[in-house]
Amino acid sequence: MRKFFSISSLLNKGSIQRRVSNKYLINAIRPYSEDLSSPKSPGPLLQYRKLVEQGRLQHDPYQERVALALENLLGRLEQYEKEMEDYHIKLAEWEKNRETERRKLLMEEAELNQRGDLWTSVNKRKSELLERWSFRRKSEDIEPGVGKWVSYLNREKKLDSLVGRRPTAPPAPKGLYIYGNVGSGKTMLMDMFYSATEGIVKHRQRFHFHEAMLKINEAMHKLWKNQVEEKSIQSSISSWIMNLPFDMKAKEWLAAEERYKQEVQMKNILPAVADKFLVDRQAGERGASILCFDEIQAVDVFAIVALSGIVSRLLSTGTVLVSTSNRAPKDLNQDGMQREIFLKFVNKLEKHCEIILVGSEVDYRRQIAQRSVDKVHYFWPLDGTALKEFEKMWCQVINQAGGEVTSSTVPVMFGRTLEVPQSCNGVARFTFDYLCGRPVGAADYIAVAKSHHTVFISDIPVMSMRIRDKARRFITLIDELYNHHCCLFCSAATSIDDLFQGTEEGTLFDLESFQFETETEGAKLRRDVLAEGSVSSGGAPAGITSMLSGQEEMFAFRRAVSRLIEMQTPLYLEGVRSLNPYFQRKHQSFKNCSYSASTVHHQVSH
């Protein structure tokens, strides 16, 4: 007979905390007690030492060193927040004045246009500038659009003299780039820091790699769609132009100049995406920005190009970055893709971040598994006894959830949806083939994780290179269920340690990982961004033979195994209720539901 927690007791902090003793020395998972997640959370060093004192963490000098570095960074952020508030006030005033002066200049030029003198003036200025060009090209060789470009440059130069240069942001404190072995506690430490910034820094975001890439792609698609969407001249003329005392020809000229300014700004789309990516600042919102980025990777050309453009822009505009990875920055790009862009990205990281190693070789999640006897969420092999227990657990959880088991539909990015075959009040059930045997990906898994607190997955096979796409999807699925703190039940063909077998047949390569959702809509945006990376029109890399090197692949395997182990531990399950998005949305309605502290432990035969 083996003990296990009912779903209600799994989500009950009180009963879980009473079971935590010195034998549960957990250094890889996030701190999940109410006092640590409150708005006035203590700093990461205090959080860490408190958990060590309580016997919930085993002291690790590498982890303490990182906690100290994060504590020092936190101490510098309060003053930086004030400096950035002052900076944004100056910046908003500068932008307002510059736009006012720009419109004045446009109106002056429009008036000249209406009098018929504009083109003489433009040609004169164009000639003056062209004379300075070292190429000394003949006027008939000038590319189309140069006239508008010269006009735009002259206007920008004149605005600099009228309004002054853009205000300079105060120097930002150095962020942290934390790297180390699977299960060494990187995410735990970063999350301690992130919780401690509540109330100190106004603008802050935390992303996992998959979610960040999807959001970047979504933002790029929106910007591109707005840019290429054809509109009539009349509809594209903004209200401020329509109300001017000029004839329609002059107004059309003004509208064309406005559109050209937008085109110039869109020449490099990634800075524009970066400006929206972290915080879309509303009127009156000022202050510093922090980006916590978990599991930063450089798995393909798009990731390298996008990360380089986005992160470089954020760091250049004062964002403080705290990130985690399995690798040091210089070792992220094992396949040597887009080396020049990648090296610039690494240089930017090393300039703006302290690079710090969590040097422990211990996978603390595995250490937990060796000491815990409550591993009852993972049922194997696929025989009568294990399957009977899995079905019994499903029935028990559904009975406690209440309601009727039905199919449902969850929204995915870009207007897509995903059908959930069996769903009941935040509990969902899928087969392995349904989630991992079809062309779905991170966006679908994020949608599932945000909509459900408990997920059952049945019929998980042993994974090898023969089902490489399915294996890659399963690893991504585990990443997202873990990242969104879902409770997971599995029925599988073998033990967790034997789930992934062999890499000698070749590295895993999932073509769908390169097919971002905009590809299905026929959009060319992602292909345009990847053009310099030798990527074919279908989105698949032409000059890359594998998505991951063998060593990176082993990291992915080990991470999935480590997380599957942790997802069965008491402290992980303790955090489902407070950290899962479903419970965060339903907090008030779940106060008096059946997931109460009174539920007792049940017994089943093993």
Side-chain angles (χ1 to χ4, degrees):
M1 304 284 285
R2 174 181 283 182
K3 289 185 178 181
F4 70 90
F5 298 121
S6 67
I7 188 66
S8 54
S9 61
L10 289 175
L11 305 179
N12 169 34
K13 293 181 182 180
S15 62
I16 293 294
Q17 288 175 340
R18 286 193 292 273
R19 293 180 58 83
V20 175
S21 66
N22 286 335
K23 71 176 181 177
Y24 295 122
L25 300 176
I26 300 177
N27 289 55
I29 63 178
R30 286 158 273 186
Y32 307 127
S33 62
E34 292 182 3
D35 58 328
L36 296 184
S37 60
S38 64
K40 295 183 179 179
S41 181
L45 185 60
L46 182 59
Q47 291 185 47
Y48 178 80
R49 287 176 174 170
K50 185 175 181 179
L51 290 170
V52 170
E53 289 172 5
Q54 292 172 345
R56 301 173 71 184
L57 291 183
Q58 175 180 310
H59 179 263
D60 184 305
Y62 294 103
Q63 292 181 351
E64 188 170 48
R65 177 183 169 222
V66 175
L68 177 60
L70 290 167
E71 186 80 22
N72 291 336
L73 173 58
L74 185 68
R76 295 193 293 272
L77 287 177
E78 193 166 356
Q79 179 59 35
Y80 183 58
E81 172 74 14
K82 295 177 182 178
E83 293 172 353
M84 286 299 287
E85 283 200 20
D86 293 339
Y87 162 72
H88 282 293
I89 290 173
K90 295 176 182 176
L91 179 61
E93 185 65 24
W94 177 84
E95 289 175 341
K96 179 181 177 181
N97 292 339
R98 190 177 181 88
E99 180 61 18
T100 299
E101 292 299 328
R102 190 182 68 82
R103 291 189 180 185
K104 286 181 181 178
L105 290 178
L106 282 171
M107 290 171 64
E108 290 174 3
E109 293 179 19
E111 188 174 356
L112 287 173
N113 182 19
Q114 190 161 268
R115 294 205 309 261
D117 296 334
L118 174 65
W119 307 121
T120 302
S121 175
V122 169
N123 288 331
K124 180 180 179 182
R125 290 199 300 273
K126 181 175 72 176
S127 298
E128 291 173 351
L129 185 59
L130 290 175
E131 286 176 1
R132 301 190 188 100
W133 285 9
S134 60
F135 295 107
R136 302 291 183 184
R137 298 196 305 178
K138 296 180 180 180
S139 59
E140 59 267 21
D141 295 329
I142 298 172
E143 298 176 3
V146 168
K148 284 185 177 294
W149 174 241
V150 171
S151 178
Y152 173 82
L153 286 179
N154 283 337
R155 197 176 300 124
E156 290 296 303
K157 184 177 179 181
K158 194 167 186 179
L159 285 171
D160 286 342
S161 64
L162 290 171
V163 184
R165 296 279 185 176
R166 181 186 180 95
T168 303
K174 269 197 170 186
L176 262 74
Y177 180 101
I178 307 164
Y179 73 101
N181 190 38
V182 168
S184 59
K186 305 180 297 294
T187 298
M188 174 192 74
L189 292 163
M190 184 186 74
D191 285 349
M192 286 180 178
F193 169 79
Y194 185 73
S195 69
T197 60
E198 176 71 28
I200 295 178
V201 179
K202 189 180 301 181
H203 305 296
R204 61 195 193 112
Q205 288 279 14
R206 182 198 184 281
F207 291 112
H208 184 268
F209 173 78
H210 298 308
E211 187 175 14
M213 288 294 99
L214 288 166
K215 285 185 175 293
I216 289 171
N217 194 63
E218 181 183 38
M220 288 169 57
H221 176 66
K222 287 180 178 178
L223 285 169
W224 173 82
K225 188 175 181 180
N226 291 337
Q227 176 64 22
V228 302
E229 199 172 48
E230 292 185 1
K231 299 178 181 179
S232 67
I233 293 178
Q234 183 67 31
S235 64
S236 67
I237 298 179
S238 58
S239 58
W240 79 271
I241 294 177
M242 287 299 297
N243 295 327
L244 294 176
F246 297 130
D247 59 27
M248 184 53 65
K249 182 179 179 181
K251 290 178 180 180
E252 289 176 356
W253 176 84
L254 280 170
E257 290 296 310
E258 287 284 78
R259 287 195 300 272
Y260 185 74
K261 182 193 75 170
Q262 294 173 0
E263 290 171 7
V264 170
Q265 293 172 345
M266 288 294 292
K267 290 294 183 183
N268 189 347
I269 193 173
L270 291 176
V273 171
D275 291 341
K276 296 284 186 181
F277 178 58
L278 182 63
V279 177
D280 189 2
R281 295 180 184 274
Q282 304 297 319
E285 289 188 348
R286 305 181 180 95
S289 298
I290 287 178
L291 174 61
C292 287
F293 201 153
D294 195 26
E295 298 290 350
I296 194 167
Q297 302 170 46
V299 295
D300 64 6
V301 173
F302 179 77
I304 292 172
V305 175
L307 282 176
S308 179
I310 297 291
V311 174
S312 296
R313 173 74 169 192
L314 292 174
L315 292 175
S316 298
T317 53
T319 295
V320 177
L321 176 69
V322 175
S323 62
T324 71
S325 181
N326 288 323
R327 292 190 175 279
K330 62 183 176 59
D331 296 327
L332 282 172
N333 184 8
Q334 292 290 299
D335 292 321
M337 299 174 287
Q338 286 297 291
R339 182 169 177 78
E340 185 177 347
I341 294 175
F342 173 73
L343 289 177
K344 289 180 181 178
F345 171 57
V346 170
N347 290 336
K348 184 72 73 170
L349 277 178
E350 292 178 341
K351 178 181 177 182
H352 291 273
C353 296
E354 179 184 354
I355 313 300
I356 188 166
L357 170 67
V358 184
S360 176
E361 293 298 321
V362 178
D363 182 346
Y364 288 101
R365 296 175 182 132
R366 185 169 297 279
Q367 197 175 84
I368 301 164
Q370 294 170 351
R371 293 168 177 165
S372 176
V373 297
D374 296 302
K375 299 180 294 180
V376 296
H377 287 198
Y378 188 93
F379 300 88
W380 67 280
L382 296 175
D383 60 13
T385 302
L387 291 178
K388 183 179 178 180
E389 290 187 0
F390 182 77
E391 292 298 332
K392 189 171 183 177
M393 180 64 81
W394 164 254
C395 293
Q396 179 182 320
V397 171
I398 289 303
N399 288 337
Q400 292 171 357
E404 182 182 357
V405 177
T406 62
S407 64
S408 63
T409 302
V410 295
V412 186
M413 298 176 73
F414 299 103
R416 294 195 299 104
T417 58
L418 177 71
E419 188 78 12
V420 181
Q422 293 178 278
S423 178
C424 177
N425 292 336
V427 181
R429 179 168 175 169
F430 306 89
T431 65
F432 173 87
D433 278 338
Y434 186 83
L435 284 180
C436 304
R438 305 184 303 136
V440 294
D444 303 87
Y445 304 147
I446 290 170
V448 169
K450 286 183 174 180
S451 303
H452 302 89
H453 57 78
T454 301
V455 176
F456 282 72
I457 305 174
S458 63
D459 304 314
I460 301 171
V462 175
M463 278 166 273
S464 68
M465 297 309 104
R466 288 185 295 275
I467 56 169
R468 58 193 64 179
D469 285 357
K470 294 181 180 181
R472 279 302 314 167
R473 294 189 194 105
F474 183 72
I475 291 170
T476 302
L477 170 62
I478 297 304
D479 279 346
E480 293 310 327
L481 293 178
Y482 175 87
N483 191 52
H484 291 86
H485 218 94
C486 293
C487 180
L488 175 64
F489 292 89
C490 300
S491 70
T494 188
S495 67
I496 293 176
D497 279 327
D498 295 328
L499 197 57
F500 301 101
Q501 294 186 357
T503 58
E504 69 281 353
E505 300 173 40
T507 54
L508 291 181
F509 178 75
D510 182 4
L511 182 62
E512 282 75 16
S513 67
F514 294 95
Q515 303 291 338
F516 278 64
E517 276 74 7
T518 49
E519 291 293 338
T520 64
E521 301 172 15
K524 297 180 180 179
L525 172 63
R526 187 168 186 272
R527 296 197 291 270
D528 293 341
V529 172
L530 289 168
E532 294 182 0
S534 300
V535 176
S536 68
S537 62
I544 306 170
T545 57
S546 68
M547 176 181 166
L548 295 173
S549 67
Q551 193 173 12
E552 283 290 351
E553 203 163 81
M554 292 309 299
F555 273 130
F557 289 161
R558 288 165 57 197
R559 185 176 70 245
V561 167
S562 184
R563 288 179 169 180
L564 279 169
I565 290 171
E566 181 187 335
M567 292 170 84
Q568 302 176 69
T569 59
L571 283 182
Y572 176 88
L573 296 168
E574 172 191 332
V576 172
R577 188 178 181 89
S578 59
L579 297 176
N580 179 265
Y582 181 91
F583 282 117
Q584 290 176 343
R585 292 193 308 271
K586 304 290 185 180
H587 179 69
Q588 293 301 319
S589 63
F590 269 79
K591 279 185 176 179
N592 300 316
C593 75
S594 60
Y595 303 101
S596 64
S598 61
T599 306
V600 297
H601 296 164
H602 297 268
Q603 302 282 337
V604 295
S605 59
H606 180 61

